[in-house]
Amino acid sequence: MTLGHTFPPDPLISKRAHMVRDQVERRGVRDPRVLEAMRAVPRHLFLSGPDRASAYDDTPLPIGCHQTISQPYIVGFMTEALAINEAETVLEIGTGSGYQTAILACLARKVISIERIADLADRARENLRALGIDNAEIIVGDGTAGRPDLSPFDAVLVTAGAPAAPRPLLEQLAPGGRLIAPVGGRSVQELELWTRTRTGFDQRRLIAVVFVPLIGEYGWKE
Ligand code: SAM
Protein backbone atom coordinates (compact mmCIF):
# COMPACT_ATOMS: atom_id res chain seq x y z
CA MET A 1 0.00 0.00 0.00
CA THR A 2 1.34 3.43 -0.85
CA LEU A 3 0.86 6.63 1.07
CA GLY A 4 1.97 10.00 -0.24
CA HIS A 5 4.47 10.36 2.63
CA THR A 6 6.64 8.22 4.85
CA PHE A 7 8.19 9.38 8.11
CA PRO A 8 11.30 8.23 9.97
CA PRO A 9 10.68 5.67 12.74
CA ASP A 10 10.11 7.23 16.16
CA PRO A 11 9.93 5.81 19.70
CA LEU A 12 6.12 6.12 19.89
CA ILE A 13 5.39 3.97 16.84
CA SER A 14 4.01 1.09 18.89
CA LYS A 15 1.81 3.38 21.03
CA ARG A 16 0.41 4.68 17.77
CA ALA A 17 -0.22 1.18 16.45
CA HIS A 18 -2.17 0.42 19.65
CA MET A 19 -4.16 3.63 19.28
CA VAL A 20 -5.14 2.67 15.74
CA ARG A 21 -6.00 -0.92 16.63
CA ASP A 22 -7.89 -0.28 19.90
CA GLN A 23 -9.56 3.09 19.30
CA VAL A 24 -10.06 3.27 15.54
CA GLU A 25 -10.08 -0.19 13.89
CA ARG A 26 -11.99 -1.90 16.73
CA ARG A 27 -14.75 0.72 16.40
CA GLY A 28 -15.22 -0.15 12.74
CA VAL A 29 -12.88 2.01 10.64
CA ARG A 30 -11.52 -0.47 8.08
CA ASP A 31 -10.04 1.49 5.15
CA PRO A 32 -6.43 0.20 5.03
CA ARG A 33 -5.02 3.50 3.70
CA VAL A 34 -6.68 5.49 6.49
CA LEU A 35 -5.39 3.09 9.15
CA GLU A 36 -1.91 3.16 7.60
CA ALA A 37 -1.87 6.97 7.52
CA MET A 38 -2.89 7.07 11.19
CA ARG A 39 -0.13 4.58 12.06
CA ALA A 40 2.36 6.70 10.11
CA VAL A 41 1.68 10.30 11.20
CA PRO A 42 3.38 11.08 14.55
CA ARG A 43 0.38 12.62 16.31
CA HIS A 44 2.44 13.61 19.38
CA LEU A 45 4.36 16.16 17.29
CA PHE A 46 1.12 18.14 16.82
CA LEU A 47 0.79 18.69 20.58
CA SER A 48 2.98 20.62 22.96
CA GLY A 49 3.68 20.83 26.69
CA PRO A 50 2.16 18.24 29.03
CA ASP A 51 -0.57 17.34 26.48
CA ARG A 52 2.03 15.67 24.27
CA ALA A 53 2.16 12.75 26.73
CA SER A 54 -1.58 12.19 26.12
CA ALA A 55 -1.30 12.25 22.30
CA TYR A 56 -2.35 8.59 21.94
CA ASP A 57 -5.21 8.71 24.46
CA ASP A 58 -8.81 8.19 23.36
CA THR A 59 -9.78 11.85 23.62
CA PRO A 60 -9.64 15.31 22.03
CA LEU A 61 -6.92 17.53 23.52
CA PRO A 62 -6.29 21.29 23.80
CA ILE A 63 -4.06 22.93 21.17
CA GLY A 64 -4.27 26.54 22.44
CA CYS A 65 -6.52 29.45 21.44
CA HIS A 66 -9.48 27.51 23.03
CA GLN A 67 -9.36 24.94 20.22
CA THR A 68 -8.82 21.16 20.19
CA ILE A 69 -7.23 18.36 18.19
CA SER A 70 -10.00 15.84 17.51
CA GLN A 71 -10.24 12.37 19.10
CA PRO A 72 -8.32 9.83 16.93
CA TYR A 73 -11.46 7.76 16.26
CA ILE A 74 -13.31 10.77 14.88
CA VAL A 75 -10.35 11.64 12.62
CA GLY A 76 -10.37 8.06 11.27
CA PHE A 77 -14.16 7.93 10.92
CA MET A 78 -14.44 11.24 9.02
CA THR A 79 -11.48 10.47 6.78
CA GLU A 80 -12.79 7.02 5.88
CA ALA A 81 -16.24 8.43 5.08
CA LEU A 82 -14.71 10.70 2.43
CA ALA A 83 -13.10 7.74 0.55
CA ILE A 84 -10.23 9.89 -0.76
CA ASN A 85 -7.94 8.60 -3.49
CA GLU A 86 -4.39 9.63 -4.34
CA ALA A 87 -5.41 11.70 -7.39
CA GLU A 88 -7.83 13.94 -5.48
CA THR A 89 -7.79 17.49 -4.13
CA VAL A 90 -9.22 18.00 -0.65
CA LEU A 91 -10.37 21.16 1.11
CA GLU A 92 -10.22 21.13 4.91
CA ILE A 93 -11.92 23.79 7.00
CA GLY A 94 -10.33 24.20 10.45
CA THR A 95 -6.63 23.32 10.29
CA GLY A 96 -6.13 23.45 14.06
CA SER A 97 -2.85 21.67 14.84
CA GLY A 98 -2.47 20.36 11.28
CA TYR A 99 -2.78 16.70 12.36
CA GLN A 100 -5.88 15.95 10.26
CA THR A 101 -4.23 17.91 7.42
CA ALA A 102 -1.23 15.56 7.61
CA ILE A 103 -3.49 12.49 7.41
CA LEU A 104 -5.23 13.96 4.36
CA ALA A 105 -1.89 14.83 2.76
CA CYS A 106 -0.87 11.16 2.99
CA LEU A 107 -4.01 10.11 1.09
CA ALA A 108 -4.65 12.86 -1.48
CA ARG A 109 -2.71 14.62 -4.23
CA LYS A 110 -3.25 18.07 -2.74
CA VAL A 111 -4.79 19.54 0.42
CA ILE A 112 -5.94 23.11 0.92
CA SER A 113 -6.67 23.83 4.57
CA ILE A 114 -8.22 27.03 5.92
CA GLU A 115 -7.84 28.17 9.55
CA ARG A 116 -9.30 31.38 10.96
CA ILE A 117 -6.75 31.76 13.80
CA ALA A 118 -3.40 32.91 12.40
CA ASP A 119 -1.35 31.60 15.38
CA LEU A 120 -2.71 28.07 14.89
CA ALA A 121 -2.13 28.25 11.13
CA ASP A 122 1.52 29.28 11.73
CA ARG A 123 2.12 26.39 14.12
CA ALA A 124 0.37 23.91 11.84
CA ARG A 125 2.52 25.05 8.89
CA GLU A 126 5.62 24.50 11.02
CA ASN A 127 4.41 21.03 12.10
CA LEU A 128 3.83 19.99 8.48
CA ARG A 129 7.12 21.47 7.29
CA ALA A 130 9.02 19.56 10.00
CA LEU A 131 7.54 16.32 8.63
CA GLY A 132 8.40 17.21 5.02
CA ILE A 133 4.74 17.42 3.98
CA ASP A 134 4.76 19.58 0.87
CA ASN A 135 1.33 18.94 -0.68
CA ALA A 136 -0.71 20.85 1.91
CA GLU A 137 -1.30 24.59 1.75
CA ILE A 138 -2.59 26.39 4.83
CA ILE A 139 -4.55 29.59 4.33
CA VAL A 140 -5.73 32.00 7.05
CA GLY A 141 -9.34 33.11 6.68
CA ASP A 142 -13.01 32.27 7.06
CA GLY A 143 -13.30 28.78 5.64
CA THR A 144 -17.10 28.81 5.60
CA ALA A 145 -16.95 30.59 2.22
CA GLY A 146 -14.44 28.05 0.88
CA ARG A 147 -12.16 29.07 -1.98
CA PRO A 148 -14.16 29.27 -5.21
CA ASP A 149 -10.98 30.31 -7.06
CA LEU A 150 -9.30 26.98 -6.13
CA SER A 151 -12.38 24.80 -6.62
CA PRO A 152 -13.74 22.30 -7.55
CA PHE A 153 -12.73 19.97 -4.70
CA ASP A 154 -13.14 16.19 -4.71
CA ALA A 155 -13.68 16.17 -0.96
CA VAL A 156 -14.33 18.74 1.78
CA LEU A 157 -13.78 17.99 5.47
CA VAL A 158 -15.11 20.49 8.02
CA THR A 159 -13.60 20.08 11.47
CA ALA A 160 -15.83 22.49 13.42
CA GLY A 161 -19.56 22.35 14.16
CA ALA A 162 -21.90 24.33 11.88
CA PRO A 163 -25.61 25.22 12.15
CA ALA A 164 -25.99 23.83 8.58
CA ALA A 165 -23.64 22.50 5.91
CA PRO A 166 -22.23 25.75 4.44
CA ARG A 167 -23.79 26.24 0.98
CA PRO A 168 -20.62 27.68 -0.64
CA LEU A 169 -18.70 24.53 0.33
CA LEU A 170 -21.34 22.27 -1.25
CA GLU A 171 -21.25 24.38 -4.40
CA GLN A 172 -17.47 24.00 -4.62
CA LEU A 173 -17.68 20.18 -4.79
CA ALA A 174 -16.74 18.48 -8.07
CA PRO A 175 -19.32 16.06 -9.54
CA GLY A 176 -19.13 12.96 -7.34
CA GLY A 177 -17.44 15.07 -4.64
CA ARG A 178 -18.10 14.39 -0.95
CA LEU A 179 -18.40 16.74 2.04
CA ILE A 180 -18.42 15.76 5.70
CA ALA A 181 -19.31 18.24 8.43
CA PRO A 182 -20.56 18.26 12.01
CA VAL A 183 -23.99 19.94 11.83
CA GLY A 184 -26.38 20.83 14.64
CA GLY A 185 -26.26 22.93 17.79
CA ARG A 186 -23.36 24.93 19.17
CA SER A 187 -22.35 22.15 21.54
CA VAL A 188 -23.60 18.83 20.03
CA GLN A 189 -23.85 17.90 16.35
CA GLU A 190 -24.28 15.00 13.93
CA LEU A 191 -21.86 14.25 11.14
CA GLU A 192 -23.51 14.88 7.78
CA LEU A 193 -22.08 13.30 4.63
CA TRP A 194 -23.07 15.01 1.36
CA THR A 195 -22.32 13.67 -2.12
CA ARG A 196 -22.72 15.75 -5.27
CA THR A 197 -24.78 13.80 -7.82
CA ARG A 198 -25.63 14.62 -11.44
CA THR A 199 -28.89 16.21 -10.33
CA GLY A 200 -28.14 17.64 -6.89
CA PHE A 201 -26.91 16.20 -3.58
CA ASP A 202 -27.37 13.02 -1.55
CA GLN A 203 -27.25 13.60 2.19
CA ARG A 204 -26.77 11.10 5.02
CA ARG A 205 -26.57 11.53 8.80
CA LEU A 206 -23.86 9.40 10.43
CA ILE A 207 -23.03 9.68 14.14
CA ALA A 208 -23.39 12.18 16.99
CA VAL A 209 -20.28 14.27 17.72
CA VAL A 210 -19.07 17.22 19.78
CA PHE A 211 -16.99 19.85 17.98
CA VAL A 212 -15.94 23.44 18.69
CA PRO A 213 -18.09 25.92 16.72
CA LEU A 214 -17.45 26.88 13.11
CA ILE A 215 -17.32 30.68 13.30
CA GLY A 216 -17.90 32.65 10.13
CA GLU A 217 -20.22 34.05 7.52
CA TYR A 218 -21.88 30.66 6.85
CA GLY A 219 -21.36 29.32 10.38
CA TRP A 220 -22.00 30.70 13.86
CA LYS A 221 -21.51 34.32 14.80
CA GLU A 222 -18.56 34.79 17.19
N1 SAM B 1 -8.49 19.05 12.63
C1 SAM B 1 -7.78 19.81 13.63
C2 SAM B 1 -6.56 19.08 14.13
O1 SAM B 1 -6.25 18.01 13.62
O2 SAM B 1 -5.91 19.64 15.03
C3 SAM B 1 -8.68 20.24 14.75
C4 SAM B 1 -9.65 21.28 14.35
S1 SAM B 1 -10.47 22.07 15.67
C5 SAM B 1 -11.57 20.83 16.25
C6 SAM B 1 -11.48 23.18 14.75
C7 SAM B 1 -10.73 24.32 14.12
O3 SAM B 1 -11.63 25.04 13.28
C8 SAM B 1 -10.16 25.34 15.10
O4 SAM B 1 -8.79 25.46 14.91
C9 SAM B 1 -10.90 26.63 14.75
O5 SAM B 1 -10.12 27.79 14.92
C10 SAM B 1 -11.22 26.38 13.29
N2 SAM B 1 -12.31 27.20 12.74
C11 SAM B 1 -13.50 27.54 13.30
N3 SAM B 1 -14.23 28.29 12.44
C12 SAM B 1 -13.48 28.39 11.30
C13 SAM B 1 -13.68 29.03 10.04
N4 SAM B 1 -14.79 29.72 9.75
N5 SAM B 1 -12.72 28.95 9.12
C14 SAM B 1 -11.57 28.27 9.37
N6 SAM B 1 -11.31 27.65 10.55
C15 SAM B 1 -12.28 27.71 11.50
Side-chain angles (χ1 to χ4, degrees):
M1 181 189 339
T2 45
L3 293 180
H5 299 282
T6 52
F7 308 107
D10 67 80
L12 297 180
I13 208 156
S14 76
K15 263 197 149 181
R16 208 149 55 240
H18 285 121
M19 171 194 84
V20 172
R21 188 194 63 197
D22 299 342
Q23 301 172 31
V24 184
E25 197 171 6
R26 276 209 186 130
R27 288 187 177 126
V29 175
R30 291 287 143 75
D31 183 326
R33 292 182 77 236
V34 173
L35 298 173
E36 189 56 30
M38 293 190 74
R39 277 191 288 267
V41 174
R43 181 174 161 93
H44 59 283
L45 299 184
F46 293 82
L47 288 154
S48 50
D51 291 314
R52 188 169 270 193
S54 308
Y56 297 104
D57 292 358
D58 190 11
T59 181
L61 290 164
I63 54 171
C65 306
H66 307 291
Q67 305 302 321
T68 53
I69 183 173
S70 303
Q71 182 189 15
Y73 167 59
I74 296 299
V75 171
F77 183 93
M78 292 177 81
T79 310
E80 178 177 64
L82 285 176
I84 295 159
N85 74 45
E86 60 279 1
E88 292 189 321
T89 299
V90 182
L91 175 68
E92 179 191 32
I93 309 303
T95 316
S97 67
Y99 171 70
Q100 170 78 74
T101 320
I103 300 287
L104 295 171
C106 287
L107 302 173
R109 184 181 65 79
K110 171 90 187 153
V111 182
I112 309 285
S113 184
I114 307 179
E115 170 56 56
R116 64 185 281 272
I117 301 175
D119 274 1
L120 291 179
D122 287 345
R123 267 189 272 151
R125 258 189 224 108
E126 180 50 35
N127 290 338
L128 296 173
R129 196 200 55 76
L131 287 172
I133 292 175
D134 55 4
N135 61 332
E137 182 185 348
I138 296 176
I139 296 169
V140 176
D142 175 9
T144 64
R147 279 299 294 256
D149 55 322
L150 302 175
S151 70
F153 301 103
D154 300 297
V156 176
L157 192 154
V158 182
T159 72
R167 201 69 210 172
L169 300 181
L170 291 170
E171 281 160 7
Q172 290 166 39
L173 282 178
R178 294 82 61 205
L179 173 145
I180 192 162
V183 175
R186 254 188 112 105
S187 49
V188 182
Q189 310 86 27
E190 275 184 307
L191 287 178
E192 287 188 357
L193 179 65
W194 293 70
T195 304
R196 187 163 211 165
T197 64
R198 275 194 300 143
T199 50
F201 293 93
D202 275 346
Q203 187 219 333
R204 283 201 293 141
R205 296 240 166 95
L206 303 177
I207 56 170
V209 286
V210 174
F211 273 83
V212 294
L214 182 76
I215 310 281
E217 190 181 351
Y218 299 90
W220 296 101
K221 303 297 159 232
E222 195 134 8

